[in-house]
Amino acid sequence: MRRWWRSTSGLAAMVSALFALATLVISAAAYEVTHEALEEQLDHRTATETRALLSEPGADRLAAVAAAIRRREPIAGYDHLGYILVDANGRRVAGSLDAVVPATLGYEEFLHHSDGRVAQSLTTAIPGGGRLVVAADRDLLYETDRELTLLFSLAFGAILLLGVASAWTVGAVTRSRLKRIDTTALAIIGGDLSRRMPIDGSGSEFDRVSTTLNQMLDRIAALMENLRQVSSDVAHDLRTPLTRLNNRLDEALATRDDGGCREAIAAASAQAGELLEIFAALLRISEVETMGVRRHFRDVALGEAIAELVETYRPDAEVSGHRLLASIDRDVAVPGDRRLLLQLASNLLDNALRHTPAGTTIEVALRNSASGVTLTISDDGPGVDPADAGRLFQRFSRSERSRSTDGHGLGLALVYAIAAAHHGSARLGSGPGFTVFVELASS
């Protein structure tokens, strides 16, 4: 069974109904308070008039009150008041109000006239005998009640109508936006991975959700492209070492000389070891790219760690004839994995030492900046061909100038993956030499 109240239209209708109900309750309370206030005003008016009549001067109280009533009744301001004055025997002495004298003293809420009208009265005993009835007409109160009822009914109807219209509008707009998202999602499921969720630039909740979903789709597309690239690169780049390995094993089988056989097997073993290193590097990159390493992130004193790393590389740099300079802010700290960050810096230093000639100056700089932390490793060596720069962070990508040295083109790919896992980025600098900027989020 469809739960209509959980739909957007249903929720909007329920909210509107609650507002209408709240309006109804508030209107009823306001009506009751106003009605009671008007009744109290009528009681106050009859009490005030009764006190005024009883305070009329004269020894004969009945005659004095009767005279006062006769003076008041013709006056226009007293047209909503009625009087009955009877003596001790119940005979009418004054007053033209056509109603029966209440049997009990005090307030009477509904005193019915003979013509059908209703008044609110106060019956008081006259000192020396007799009763005085002062009644105030309830017509004004009833008219006010009718106006309040009409006003509140219109307000309730308007809110109910606006609620229904709002529910329909919200439901229609929401269904329209969701339908476009649903259509896009179905197209993506159908294989069109280039489609993205619609964004109208309004900055609404739908736009924000669509933006997030599009970022997720971009990430999925990048991972799939990486997977495709890895599959292609593995097939392409491992074919040669596997062929060499196979040839070495064939040579070992064909060699009758024990010494030659051992030499061929040793060469095949070295070839297999190289292949295992390549697979280990690929697995390492894949592990980092899954972002699962973020679970182990802690605050890392990166300044201290990079400074120690540079010192460990300094002997190798001196032996190879390189000049290693460092400008490191030792107070720099970042959230991350210390082992991975050192792996990143080691890869860059290894590249600089391996692919530049003796006499090259290598500089390592680590700085805090307004946007985060920047690690820069540069050299004044021959650099790379600008045509190769755009793909050096891809797996198995190598500059043509570095083909003569060892390596499989996985070091910079791992650098890029580690930087991305740390919410950062890696990019190449322009100009002479070779420069890599790694930007990371600071603690």
Side-chain angles (χ1 to χ4, degrees):
M1 179 180 177
R2 183 181 178 184
R3 299 177 178 178
W4 63 269
W5 61 86
R6 301 192 68 174
S7 66
T8 304
S9 300
L11 289 174
M14 289 179 64
V15 172
S16 301
L18 288 175
F19 273 112
L21 180 61
T23 303
L24 185 63
V25 172
I26 293 173
S27 299
Y31 172 87
E32 187 64 23
V33 170
T34 304
H35 180 83
E36 290 298 324
L38 290 175
E39 286 191 336
E40 288 181 2
Q41 285 187 357
L42 292 180
D43 288 341
H44 178 72
R45 188 177 182 188
T46 56
T48 302
E49 182 66 8
T50 298
R51 286 195 298 271
L53 290 172
L54 294 178
S55 64
E56 286 290 328
D60 187 345
R61 304 301 308 143
L62 196 61
V65 173
I69 291 174
R70 293 189 189 96
R71 287 196 304 274
R72 281 173 162 76
E73 280 188 329
I75 300 174
Y78 290 88
D79 55 347
H80 291 293
L81 288 178
Y83 306 92
I84 300 176
L85 180 64
V86 297
D87 60 15
N89 297 320
R91 291 192 297 271
R92 183 182 292 259
V93 175
S96 60
L97 179 62
D98 187 11
V100 177
V101 176
T104 59
L105 299 178
Y107 290 105
E108 178 73 23
E109 189 170 0
F110 300 104
L111 179 66
H112 294 276
H113 295 211
S114 59
D115 59 1
R117 291 187 300 158
V118 180
Q120 194 164 315
S121 66
L122 174 60
T123 303
T124 310
I126 302 295
R131 289 187 176 186
L132 170 64
V133 178
V134 176
D137 204 330
R138 290 175 63 96
D139 284 350
L140 287 176
L141 186 148
Y142 289 149
E143 184 178 350
T144 304
D145 285 349
R146 285 193 294 273
E147 291 177 353
L148 286 175
T149 302
L150 177 61
L151 177 63
F152 292 149
S153 298
L154 290 175
F156 175 76
I159 290 176
L160 193 60
L161 185 61
L162 287 174
V164 172
S166 300
W168 185 86
T169 303
V170 170
V173 172
T174 304
R175 283 195 300 274
S176 174
R177 299 295 301 268
L178 290 177
K179 183 178 180 181
R180 284 190 285 168
I181 293 175
D182 184 57
T183 301
T184 304
L186 290 175
I188 294 172
I189 293 172
D192 185 2
L193 300 181
S194 64
R195 294 284 295 271
R196 292 296 181 266
M197 300 300 169
I199 297 175
D200 60 11
S202 63
S204 64
E205 294 84 353
F206 285 102
D207 265 15
R208 291 197 291 274
V209 171
S210 295
T211 301
T212 303
L213 290 176
N214 287 340
Q215 291 173 350
M216 180 187 71
L217 291 171
D218 290 341
R219 175 64 179 159
I220 292 173
L223 290 175
M224 292 187 67
E225 174 60 23
N226 282 341
L227 180 62
R228 186 198 64 76
Q229 180 195 338
V230 168
S231 301
S232 175
D233 291 344
V234 165
H236 181 269
D237 287 70
L238 295 188
R239 182 173 56 187
T240 299
L242 284 173
T243 301
R244 287 203 299 264
L245 174 62
N246 184 62
N247 292 337
R248 294 287 187 183
L249 292 174
D250 287 343
E251 289 175 9
L253 290 174
T255 302
R256 298 183 181 281
D257 177 48
D258 289 345
C261 181
R262 291 180 63 84
E263 182 180 349
I265 291 175
S269 177
Q271 198 71 47
E274 182 181 350
L275 288 171
L276 288 174
E277 288 180 4
I278 294 174
F279 278 113
L282 286 172
L283 289 173
R284 190 62 175 150
I285 293 173
S286 298
E287 179 188 357
V288 173
E289 286 182 337
T290 60
M291 307 298 177
V293 294
R294 290 177 176 172
R295 294 194 300 269
H296 309 293
F297 277 10
R298 301 286 187 276
D299 283 340
V300 177
L302 188 61
E304 295 290 342
I306 295 297
E308 293 174 4
L309 181 69
V310 169
E311 293 306 316
T312 62
Y313 270 83
R314 195 174 297 284
D316 292 339
E318 292 175 353
V319 169
S320 61
H322 292 81
R323 187 164 174 248
L324 183 58
L325 304 178
S327 176
I328 297 172
D329 184 352
R330 289 178 176 267
D331 295 332
V332 170
V334 299
D337 185 311
R338 187 176 189 276
R339 185 170 50 87
L340 289 178
L341 292 170
L342 289 178
Q343 177 72 62
L344 180 152
S346 297
N347 281 14
L348 295 176
L349 285 170
D350 285 339
N351 276 352
L353 291 174
R354 182 181 302 163
H355 300 301
T356 58
T360 300
T361 299
I362 302 170
E363 295 186 28
V364 180
L366 181 67
R367 290 283 182 273
N368 260 322
S369 64
S371 58
V373 171
T374 302
L375 171 65
T376 307
I377 297 182
S378 60
D379 63 64
D380 59 357
V384 297
D385 191 322
D388 299 331
R391 56 180 179 80
L392 287 184
F393 287 116
Q394 298 177 6
R395 293 177 178 84
F396 299 111
S397 293
R398 302 185 66 196
S399 169
E400 290 300 326
R401 295 177 183 174
S402 63
R403 293 289 179 184
S404 59
T405 58
D406 294 337
H408 304 289
L410 296 174
L412 287 179
L414 183 57
V415 167
Y416 189 88
I418 292 174
H422 286 75
H423 305 283
S425 63
R427 58 183 174 84
L428 298 182
S430 58
F434 186 77
T435 304
V436 176
F437 296 98
V438 178
E439 295 171 345
L440 304 169
S442 58
S443 295

